[in-house]
Amino acid sequence: MSFLLPLPTLLLCLFVVLIYSLQSKADEFDFDESLFNAKNASSGRKLAGRCNLFRGKWVYDPSYPLYDPSTCPFIDPQFNCQKYGRPDKQYQKYRWQPFSCPLPRFNAFDFLAKYRGKKIMFVGDSLSLNQFNSLACMIHSWVPNTRTSFIKQDALSKITFEDYGLQLFLYRTAYLVDLDRENVGTVLKIDSIKSGDAWRGMDVLVFNTWHWWTHTGSSQPWDYIQEGNKLYKDMNRLILFYKGLTTWARWVNINVNPAQTKVFFLGISPVHYEGKDWNQPAKSCMSETKPFFGLKYPAGTPMALVIVNKVLSRIKKPVHFLDVTTLSQYRKDAHPEGYSGVMPTDCSHWCLPGLPDTWNVLLHAALFD
C-alpha cells in the first residue's frame, strides 16, 4: 500500500524544510524554541501576557470615529474614502474589544505629554503611510489649534506638532532592504540595508513590510535579486521574504539601543480581493459594509505571518509585535473599495478614519504599558 500526500500538503512540507534549512545562514541569532520568550523578543507579547489585546471582536460604537476626516490636514487622498464618494459610514463606527480586558482609549494629551520632544518613525510601504496619517489625525483631533508643519523629501516625510516638539516621521521603503539601480537594471539586495542610516536616533520605530514581496510581472519593481555576489532572476516569494526579513532583524540587532529606542513590528495587513477567504467566493471588498463576525477567519493564518513569527523568535533585541493580522482580516468592509481616487478597486489599503486607528490605539497601549 502506498501513501501519497496531496500536492498542497507536499509543497507546504517542502517549504517548511526550506525555511529550516535557511536557519544556518543567520548564525548570529540564538534560536529559541518558543516563538516569543520573555528574555529575548517578548516585549510585545509581554503586553499580551496579562491580557491578549489582539484577540477579541469588533463592536459597534456610536462615539466613533476618533476624528473627522474633513478637518484633518494629514490624510493622503487615497485613504479619504468619504472625499471620493463612499456612500456609507458604518465602517467608521466599529471599535476593537479584546475578550479578556478593556483596551485603553487613546488620549492625545497623555501621548503628547509622554512624547514631548520625541521622534516616532514609521518605516515601510503604503500601509505605513496609512498608519502614519492615522496617528497624525488622532493627535490633531485633540489639539486642532496647535501649530504643525509638514515636510516631504524623497522617501522621508515629517509632521511636527510644534508646540510639543513631537516629530512623526515616515520612511517609505517597500522591502526594508535596498532596492538599487545598477547597470543590469533595478536590483533587490536582500542582504543589504543602507537606507537604515535614516532610521537612527528615533525614540520609537514601527516597521512594516509584506505587500510588495508578492508583486510579479509588470507590478514588480525589480529586475534581479542579489544575495552576496550572486544575481537571481527570481526566487520563491516566501523564501525571499524570509531572507529579507532576516536582514532587517540583523540590522535591529546591530543598530538598535533598547535604552533609547523602542521597536515595533506591525503584523501582516491582509487584503480582501477574494471572497472565498471569508466563505463568500462571489464577493470582494466591494460594497462590503460590515466586518466578518465569526471567531475563526476561514482563510486561516497567512504563511507570511508564520515567517514573521519565525524571524522575531530569533531576534536578540526587544521587538514589540503588533499582532494585528487576525483583527484586520475581519475588516473586509474597511477598504477604500472604489473610492480612493487612485485605484479602481482597492481592497489592500484602508479608509481613514478606520482600521489603522485601531493599530495606533494598540500602539498607544503598548507605549504606555
Side-chain angles (χ1 to χ4, degrees):
M1 181 180 294
S2 63
F3 296 89
L4 296 177
L5 290 173
L7 182 58
T9 303
L10 180 59
L11 290 173
L12 180 58
C13 290
L14 288 171
F15 172 70
V16 171
V17 170
L18 284 168
I19 285 295
Y20 275 85
S21 72
L22 288 169
Q23 289 179 4
S24 61
K25 296 194 176 183
D27 293 333
E28 67 272 33
F29 294 155
D30 295 327
F31 176 67
D32 190 285
E33 291 297 328
S34 62
L35 283 179
F36 289 86
N37 64 54
K39 181 179 178 182
N40 291 334
S42 68
S43 296
R45 295 291 182 176
K46 180 180 172 186
L47 176 66
R50 297 191 307 275
C51 169
N52 191 338
L53 296 178
F54 306 107
R55 297 294 172 261
K57 62 182 180 180
W58 290 99
V59 297
Y60 186 83
D61 188 333
S63 71
Y64 269 47
L66 298 179
Y67 51 88
D68 181 346
S70 68
T71 62
C72 180
F74 305 119
I75 301 181
D76 193 277
Q78 65 181 310
F79 310 138
N80 197 339
C81 304
Q82 293 299 309
K83 177 180 179 180
Y84 287 99
R86 180 162 173 170
D88 63 305
K89 293 185 178 181
Q90 187 169 330
Y91 67 92
Q92 299 179 355
K93 296 289 186 179
Y94 288 99
R95 173 175 54 82
W96 181 246
Q97 181 172 295
F99 289 131
S100 52
C101 64
L103 176 60
R105 296 269 181 156
F106 179 79
N107 186 310
F109 293 145
D110 291 344
F111 193 92
L112 288 166
K114 181 168 183 173
Y115 284 92
R116 179 184 290 270
K118 303 294 187 181
K119 299 177 180 179
I120 298 173
M121 176 178 277
F122 296 90
V123 183
D125 55 26
S126 52
L127 277 309
S128 291
L129 173 62
N130 231 172
Q131 190 177 8
F132 168 73
N133 285 176
S134 163
L135 183 59
C137 289
M138 290 167 67
I139 295 171
H140 182 266
S141 69
W142 285 67
V143 286
N145 297 319
T146 193
R147 294 175 302 134
T148 61
S149 62
F150 175 75
I151 299 172
K152 184 178 187 300
Q153 184 175 5
D154 300 325
L156 188 65
S157 301
K158 181 177 72 169
I159 295 170
T160 304
F161 289 85
E162 302 283 356
D163 298 325
Y164 301 91
L166 172 64
Q167 299 176 76
L168 303 181
F169 292 86
L170 170 71
Y171 190 92
R172 287 289 292 271
T173 167
Y175 299 98
L176 300 183
V177 295
D178 294 332
L179 188 67
D180 291 340
R181 186 72 184 171
E182 304 285 357
N183 291 334
V184 294
T186 303
V187 180
L188 179 65
K189 299 181 178 180
I190 57 174
D191 54 5
S192 172
I193 301 184
K194 294 193 299 290
S195 58
D197 290 344
W199 312 342
R200 300 175 189 272
M202 298 294 146
D203 298 285
V204 178
L205 285 168
V206 185
F207 291 97
N208 146 73
T209 186
W210 167 239
H211 279 206
W212 279 90
W213 295 88
T214 65
H215 287 208
T216 60
S218 61
S219 65
Q220 172 185 296
W222 47 265
D223 301 301
Y224 292 94
I225 302 158
Q226 182 174 336
E227 184 178 24
N229 294 322
K230 293 184 178 180
L231 288 178
Y232 303 90
K233 192 62 181 172
D234 207 350
M235 188 180 293
N236 176 285
R237 297 314 170 88
L238 289 170
I239 294 175
L240 188 64
F241 180 54
Y242 177 86
K243 286 174 176 279
L245 205 59
T246 298
T247 298
W248 164 81
R250 185 181 300 115
W251 183 92
V252 171
N253 277 343
I254 294 171
N255 294 282
V256 168
N257 176 4
Q260 177 190 3
T261 305
K262 184 171 282 191
V263 179
F264 291 84
F265 194 91
L266 185 75
I268 301 300
S269 178
V271 299
H272 291 94
Y273 287 102
E274 299 183 356
K276 66 180 182 181
D277 287 348
W278 60 93
N279 288 339
Q280 292 184 303
K283 292 192 172 185
S284 70
C285 76
M286 299 294 284
S287 302
E288 291 292 306
T289 58
K290 294 181 180 179
F292 174 84
F293 286 116
L295 292 180
K296 185 175 177 58
Y297 191 68
T301 301
M303 280 304 298
L305 184 59
V306 174
I307 293 171
V308 169
N309 279 337
K310 185 65 179 173
V311 172
L312 292 182
S313 75
R314 303 170 69 194
I315 201 166
K316 294 178 179 178
K317 298 291 179 69
V319 174
H320 299 241
F321 184 40
L322 295 174
D323 189 8
V324 302
T325 298
T326 300
L327 67 87
S328 301
Q329 284 179 318
Y330 296 158
R331 295 308 308 270
K332 57 186 174 64
D333 61 313
H335 295 284
E337 303 176 354
Y339 304 101
S340 75
V342 177
M343 302 167 62
T345 304
D346 187 352
C347 300
S348 174
H349 302 100
W350 307 95
C351 294
L352 293 179
L355 175 65
D357 304 332
T358 296
W359 299 348
N360 284 321
V361 172
L362 290 161
L363 173 65
H364 174 266
L367 288 171
F368 281 78
D369 179 52

